[in-house]
Amino acid sequence: MTNRSQMTRRATRPTMKQSPDGSAKRTRQHLPAAERERQIVEAAADFFAEHGLEGQTRELAKTLGITHSAIFRYFPSKEALIERVYDHVFLSRWDPDWRGLLSDRSQPLEQRLIRFYHAYAERIFDAQWMRIFMFAGLKGYPMTNRYVSLIRTQLIRPACGELRAELGLPTLASLPITAREEEAFWALHGMVFYLGIRKFIYGMRTQGDQSQIIADDVRAFLAGAPFILRAACGTSG
């Protein structure tokens, strides 16, 4: 995170130029608008990960070596900048193929879940992602609820349907999903997510290989989930 900030500052810092009388003169590097906008978004992601979303844009401008007003030539408000950071940090890492992976019944559900959570962890286990997500949640920014809603509709609920199919239970179309089975899948998601929290929020190392831990979490979940789903669907056996 720090290295990326330093690179951004070096890329945007005004350069020194010799004037005819031999004195140094500061000149600002002129960049295409799209490039300057990209640099502001990347620097803002680092800045908010370090200081939280309450961090002042005036201080952000200082890290970029530009005027405060320059930021607002590209973004009409701080909220608009935060929205772009959300796109850059969260949505750009979302893989629409994940849902297809979960629904590919040519593979056992255990294998699908393990593959998905390995891929998911590779995308989100990052200090910038984790810290902004936590800061946003603590301060009540809507991006957190939007992202959680995305997980719920694109991953959690479809996975519930896949487990029902694996167990020969009624489809979601014939029997609406219950809160109990949805909460069971959130528990699995939380176990994997907590590995990232421990590393990037608490500064703790996980004991053992991350891939193996994720596989163990999935298998532990699948060992108990059939009982929960059969009970939630009103079946026995």
Side-chain angles (χ1 to χ4, degrees):
M1 185 164 60
T2 302
N3 289 341
R4 188 182 301 160
S5 295
Q6 290 172 343
M7 290 173 63
T8 302
R9 285 196 293 270
R10 285 197 295 269
T12 58
R13 185 180 297 149
T15 58
M16 303 297 292
K17 186 177 181 181
Q18 288 294 113
S19 62
D21 62 2
S23 62
K25 192 175 184 179
R26 297 177 73 86
T27 61
R28 189 168 301 281
Q29 187 178 14
H30 294 287
L31 295 173
E35 176 65 12
R36 177 67 74 187
E37 183 176 331
R38 181 190 64 79
Q39 287 188 349
I40 291 173
V41 171
E42 290 181 352
D46 282 329
F47 181 79
F48 291 140
E50 185 71 25
H51 302 284
L53 295 175
E54 300 300 297
Q56 298 299 307
T57 51
R58 192 172 299 278
E59 293 303 314
L60 170 61
K62 289 180 181 178
T63 68
L64 279 162
I66 61 177
T67 64
H68 187 221
S69 61
I71 291 178
F72 295 102
R73 286 202 293 271
Y74 298 92
F75 303 96
S77 64
K78 181 180 178 182
E79 289 69 27
L81 175 59
I82 289 174
E83 188 68 19
R84 280 293 306 280
V85 168
Y86 172 76
D87 291 344
H88 174 70
V89 174
F90 296 93
L91 295 189
S92 68
R93 302 187 194 195
W94 184 271
D95 188 344
D97 292 337
W98 284 336
R99 182 163 180 171
L101 169 60
L102 288 173
S103 63
D104 179 10
R105 295 181 183 175
S106 67
Q107 305 175 51
L109 182 59
E110 177 184 301
Q111 184 177 344
R112 284 179 267 160
L113 288 172
I114 291 173
R115 286 183 59 200
F116 162 69
Y117 276 113
H118 283 167
Y120 187 69
E122 287 180 1
R123 292 290 181 93
I124 74 164
F125 282 11
D126 170 80
Q128 188 184 83
W129 195 105
M130 286 286 173
R131 290 177 63 85
I132 291 178
F133 189 83
M134 297 302 290
F135 278 130
L138 289 170
K139 292 297 183 179
Y141 279 85
M143 69 166 67
T144 305
N145 288 337
R146 284 162 52 197
Y147 191 82
V148 168
S149 178
L150 183 64
I151 292 172
R152 181 173 185 258
T153 59
Q154 297 299 309
L155 302 177
I156 299 295
R157 294 176 69 86
C160 287
E162 292 305 310
L163 183 51
R164 280 194 185 185
E166 188 97 345
L167 298 173
L169 297 173
T171 66
L172 297 184
S174 62
L175 179 66
I177 192 171
T178 66
R180 186 175 182 184
E181 58 192 305
E182 190 171 341
E183 284 300 322
F185 264 98
W186 274 116
L188 168 60
H189 194 82
M191 282 193 292
V192 176
F193 185 77
Y194 189 63
L195 295 174
I197 295 294
R198 285 167 60 191
K199 182 175 181 179
F200 296 107
I201 304 301
Y202 300 157
M204 297 172 58
R205 290 176 176 267
T206 53
Q207 301 297 314
D209 177 69
Q210 177 177 288
S211 295
Q212 185 62 63
I213 294 170
I214 290 174
D216 288 345
D217 286 343
V218 168
R219 291 176 181 128
F221 164 77
L222 290 175
F227 170 81
I228 297 172
L229 264 70
R230 289 189 179 107
C233 293
T235 63
S236 60

